[in-house]
């Protein structure tokens, strides 16, 4: 796309033009029964570029009638789709994986333009998102069962696994591709049909992904996509339809709880990947440079807009000031800007509300005695920027200790004893992930087991991987995505009792 002789400014301009062309070429309708079309009442909603505040597209606004058509399409296709050979489903996923990688740059440009993350991170998410399709293409042909005998020897027990049935899939805006492929991949592999609703802030990546799945040979009716900025009415229509057998949701704990209530009406299977409030613990014996490197990843991936983001940095008092200083040096040196521009390391937050939330949380911490070591200001541009910020000496009673910051702010809280830090780390209703830096393997294992979380990064700031079981405990959710267990969320066990004589 770019030539090596073009100046950085010319390359940036060329990327913006290319992104606009790509977005203009996307389908903007609903995808139901293998057909693209407008919503029943023709309504649309606007999608913004958070780096500029400009409207970049209008997409179909689905409502109840569209939701009903989508779930009926999924239900009507379930039987034939479940009967396809696993290898057929596997091949479709494999082709889609390859097509995503062929279009990595285009998908990354679309993603950055609608969501804000720097292009390098968007490319990384495309590779990560594609990998879920490769992983589940491999799992599709390995769905297992079991055969045993009852204790008295009278019966054979034959255990088989079947697709759970039509699924409702709902995703957030922060990982517009990977949160979708992490659900669509195992659903396809298991033989489930789907209705899918991407987040209203970032529907464009999903539209591009839907085109790819069609090209990869996914039959009509298996995946039905409804975009809308009125999620409540679309999703409740699906939940109460009596046609869906499962809901898989990634998003806030607040919406997750609402969906759990709705799921109870029809006793639907649920997978919930909800919010986090990750502790990041630095022990006195940690390799401090490694810990700072890990903190940069755990805090700054996605501008801090990740469920896995390190929200509370507990650092042993003996190294807390040095840690904060080193972290501030790294954070203060980051380039903030439009994610499509060369050299940008930190993009905008996703919307104005997000900047307001971060500003309020930082003010509260400062009023309670925290020091701003670096940052602490929002951007002056039209987009939704906030500077990478380190706060030291944070009072544990500050509001940001009990709220997902979802922004580039690292609060450093000094601690004295192991017992105290574990108690503070667990003092939250969430339990998605925790990070721990120590060079003492025994201490690392003991503290990992004491943390009330579904995942631990032990001397690393990154846990996400398609081969690993991702998920949380407490109010961070139910079930796991990815890994060997990921497909089980989309399978139902059936047991046959067979007399031996
Ligand atoms: P959100 O809960 O506001 O929205 C998530 C999805 O739910 C969107 O598609 C939205 O349209 C939909 N939704 C909103 N209201 C709804 C309703 N009444 N009924 C049905 N659906 C509704 O969350 P968000 O702001 O998009 O995403 C950020 C949240 O997601 C954070 O809490 C973050 O921690 C969490 N998250 C969790 C994981 C994980 O794997 N655990 C991964 C990414 C994000």
């Amino acid at each position: 796309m770019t030539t090596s002789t073009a100046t950085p400014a010319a390359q940036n301009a060329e990327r913006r033009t290319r992104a606009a062309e790509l977005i203009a070429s996307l389908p903007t309708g609903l995808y139901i029964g293998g057909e693209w079309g407008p919503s029943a009442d023709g309504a649309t909603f606007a999608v913004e570029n958070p780096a500029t505040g400009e409207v970049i597209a209008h997409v179909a606004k689905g409502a109840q009638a569209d939701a009903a058509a989508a779930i009926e399409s999924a239900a009507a296709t379930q039987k034939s789709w479940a009967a396809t050979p696993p290898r057929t489903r596997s091949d479709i996923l494999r082709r889609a994986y390859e097509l995503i990688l062929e279009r990595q740059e285009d998908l990354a440009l679309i993603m950055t333009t609608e969501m804000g993350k720097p292009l390098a991170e968007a490319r990384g998410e495309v590779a990560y998102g594609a990998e879920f399709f490769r992983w589940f293409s491999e799992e599709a042909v390995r769905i297992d069962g079991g055969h045993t005998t009852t204790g008295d020897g009278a019966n054979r027990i034959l255990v088989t696994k079947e697709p759970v049935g039509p699924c409702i899939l709902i995703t957030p805006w922060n990982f517009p591709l990977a949160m979708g492929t992490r659900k669509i991949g195992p659903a396809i592999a298991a033989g489930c049909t789907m209705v899918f609703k991407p987040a209203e802030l970032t529907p464009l990546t999903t539209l591009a992904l839907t085109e790819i799945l069609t090209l990869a040979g996914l039959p009509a009716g298996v995946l039905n996509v409804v975009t809308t900025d009125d999620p409540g009415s679309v999703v409740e229509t699906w939940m109460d339809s009596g046609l869906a057998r499962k809901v898989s949701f990634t998003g806030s704990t607040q919406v997750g709880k609402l969906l759990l209530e709705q799921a109870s009406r029809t006793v639907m299977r649920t997978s919930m990947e909800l919010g986090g409030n990750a502790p990041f613990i630095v022990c006195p014996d940690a390799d401090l440079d490694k810990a700072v490197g890990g903190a940069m990843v755990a805090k700054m991936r996605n501008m801090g807009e990740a469920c896995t983001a390190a929200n509370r940095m507990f650092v042993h008092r003996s190294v807390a000031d040095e840690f904060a200083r080193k972290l501030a040096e790294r954070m203060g040196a980051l380039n903030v800007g439009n994610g499509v521009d060369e050299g940008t390391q930190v993009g905008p937050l996703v919307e104005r509300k997000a900047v307001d939330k971060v500003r309020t949380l930082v003010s509260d911490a400062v009023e309670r005695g925290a020091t701003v070591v670096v940052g602490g200001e929002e951007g002056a541009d039209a987009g939704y920027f906030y500077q990478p910020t380190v706060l030291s000496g944070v009072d544990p009673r500050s509001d940001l200790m009990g709220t997902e910051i979802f922004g580039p702010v690292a609060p450093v809280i000094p601690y004295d004893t192991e017992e105290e830090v574990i108690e503070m780390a667990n003092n939250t209703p969430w339990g998605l992930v925790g990070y721990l830096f120590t060079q003492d393997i025994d201490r690392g294992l003991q503290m990992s087991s004491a943390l009330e979380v579904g995942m631990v990064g032990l001397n690393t700031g990154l846990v996400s991987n398609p081969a690993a079981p991702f998920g949380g405990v407490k109010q961070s959710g139910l079930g796991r995505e990815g890994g060997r267990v990921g497909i089980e969320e989309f399978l139902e066990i059936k047991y046959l009792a067979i007399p031996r004589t």
Side-chain angles (χ1 to χ4, degrees):
M1 181 189 75
T2 51
T3 58
S4 56
T5 52
T7 62
Q11 288 184 17
N12 294 344
E14 214 175 306
R15 281 202 203 102
R16 285 166 204 229
T17 307
R18 174 76 182 141
E21 285 168 1
L22 286 165
I23 289 169
S25 71
L26 286 174
T28 54
L30 310 176
Y31 184 70
I32 299 174
E35 303 282 342
W36 291 97
S39 57
D41 62 3
T44 63
F45 66 99
V47 182
E48 268 189 11
N49 178 346
T52 62
E54 289 165 4
V55 171
I56 48 171
H58 288 90
V59 303
K61 173 175 175 159
Q64 286 170 354
D66 309 295
I71 189 70
E72 280 158 20
S73 162
T77 315
Q78 179 58 52
K79 199 170 163 201
S80 61
W81 178 238
T84 52
R87 181 56 75 196
T88 303
R89 305 197 297 264
S90 168
D91 286 346
I92 291 169
L93 283 172
R94 179 73 195 201
R95 273 199 296 279
Y97 157 76
E98 282 159 7
L99 284 168
I100 292 174
L101 288 188
E102 272 170 30
R103 296 174 183 206
Q104 183 173 22
E105 193 63 21
D106 288 356
L107 285 163
L109 275 170
I110 294 168
M111 187 189 298
T112 292
T113 308
E114 69 172 341
M115 187 271 165
K117 68 179 70 184
L119 207 50
E121 284 196 45
R123 290 183 190 115
E125 185 187 334
V126 174
Y128 169 57
E131 192 59 33
F132 283 105
F133 279 1
R134 178 159 70 165
W135 176 264
F136 286 107
S137 80
E138 289 155 355
E139 291 295 280
V141 288
R142 311 216 191 298
I143 297 169
D144 59 6
H147 179 218
T148 49
T149 310
T150 54
D152 60 8
N155 274 358
R156 294 175 201 281
I157 297 172
L158 181 64
V159 177
T160 64
K161 290 183 185 166
E162 299 177 353
V164 71
C167 297
I168 302 169
L169 311 182
I170 306 161
T171 53
W173 49 264
N174 59 348
F175 292 95
L177 185 82
M179 297 302 95
T181 56
R182 200 165 77 171
K183 297 185 190 305
I184 295 169
I188 289 179
C192 296
T193 59
M194 292 151 266
V195 287
F196 182 89
K197 197 206 74 59
E200 51 272 39
L201 294 173
T202 57
L204 304 179
T205 304
T206 296
L207 298 173
L209 176 67
T210 305
E211 277 192 312
I212 285 176
L213 280 161
T214 310
L215 278 174
L218 192 68
V222 175
L223 171 68
N224 303 276
V225 179
V226 177
T227 48
T228 183
D229 64 352
D230 180 13
S233 69
V234 166
V235 174
E236 200 165 3
T237 302
W238 289 341
M239 297 293 283
D240 287 341
S241 65
L243 297 172
R245 290 308 316 139
K246 162 151 192 123
V247 57
S248 176
F249 172 75
T250 299
S252 62
T253 297
Q254 191 192 359
V255 174
K257 286 180 182 174
L258 180 74
L259 295 178
L260 284 168
E261 275 178 34
Q262 293 177 5
S264 72
R265 296 177 198 155
T266 54
V267 192
M268 198 181 290
R269 284 268 298 268
T270 60
S271 296
M272 294 281 147
E273 296 288 348
L274 308 179
N277 183 9
F280 185 100
I281 301 173
V282 182
C283 296
D285 68 341
D287 177 327
L288 219 53
D289 290 327
K290 260 196 199 153
V292 170
M296 290 298 290
V297 176
K299 180 75 251 180
M300 291 308 293
R301 180 169 177 238
N302 235 26
M303 291 78 71
E305 295 173 314
C307 52
T308 50
N311 212 55
R312 302 168 293 154
M313 300 200 164
F314 298 111
V315 186
H316 192 267
R317 198 175 297 280
S318 62
V319 289
D321 286 345
E322 194 185 350
F323 176 87
R325 185 179 49 75
K326 287 188 168 193
L327 184 62
E329 269 170 27
R330 299 270 305 266
M331 295 272 275
L334 294 171
N335 286 323
V336 182
N338 187 323
V340 297
D341 290 348
E342 194 61 42
T344 293
Q345 294 164 298
V346 183
L349 299 188
V350 75
E351 57 181 341
R352 170 64 55 207
K353 262 195 304 192
V355 178
D356 295 343
K357 178 182 171 188
V358 171
R359 186 198 321 110
T360 307
L361 288 172
V362 170
S363 300
D364 170 75
V366 170
E367 273 164 29
R368 292 177 197 258
T371 305
V372 178
V373 189
V374 75
E377 302 282 334
E378 57 198 276
D381 300 344
Y384 312 133
F385 294 96
Y386 198 92
Q387 288 175 353
T389 298
V390 177
L391 302 174
S392 70
V394 173
D395 185 326
R397 287 163 299 185
S398 306
D399 289 347
L400 45 63
M401 297 285 288
T403 314
E404 278 189 294
I405 302 169
F406 250 56
V409 176
V412 177
I413 307 107
Y415 76 87
D416 292 302
T417 67
E418 227 168 87
E419 210 179 15
E420 176 197 8
V421 74
I422 291 292
E423 196 186 317
M424 284 198 288
N426 289 340
N427 184 20
T428 169
W430 288 285
L432 188 63
V433 59
Y435 304 92
L436 184 58
F437 280 75
T438 174
Q439 299 195 69
D440 179 336
I441 186 73
D442 287 337
R443 173 186 289 197
L445 294 176
Q446 269 165 27
M447 288 178 75
S448 296
S449 95
L451 285 173
E452 295 168 356
V453 291
M455 304 175 285
V456 177
L458 185 51
N459 293 319
T460 175
L462 183 69
V463 294
S464 310
N465 191 291
F470 188 103
V473 300
K474 293 159 81 176
Q475 294 191 25
S476 287
L478 299 167
R480 296 292 181 270
E481 289 191 322
R484 294 302 313 276
V485 295
I487 195 167
E488 302 292 338
E489 302 270 327
F490 292 86
L491 292 168
E492 206 62 273
I493 288 177
K494 184 178 278 177
Y495 134 62
L496 280 65
I498 309 167
R500 297 185 76 204
T501 52

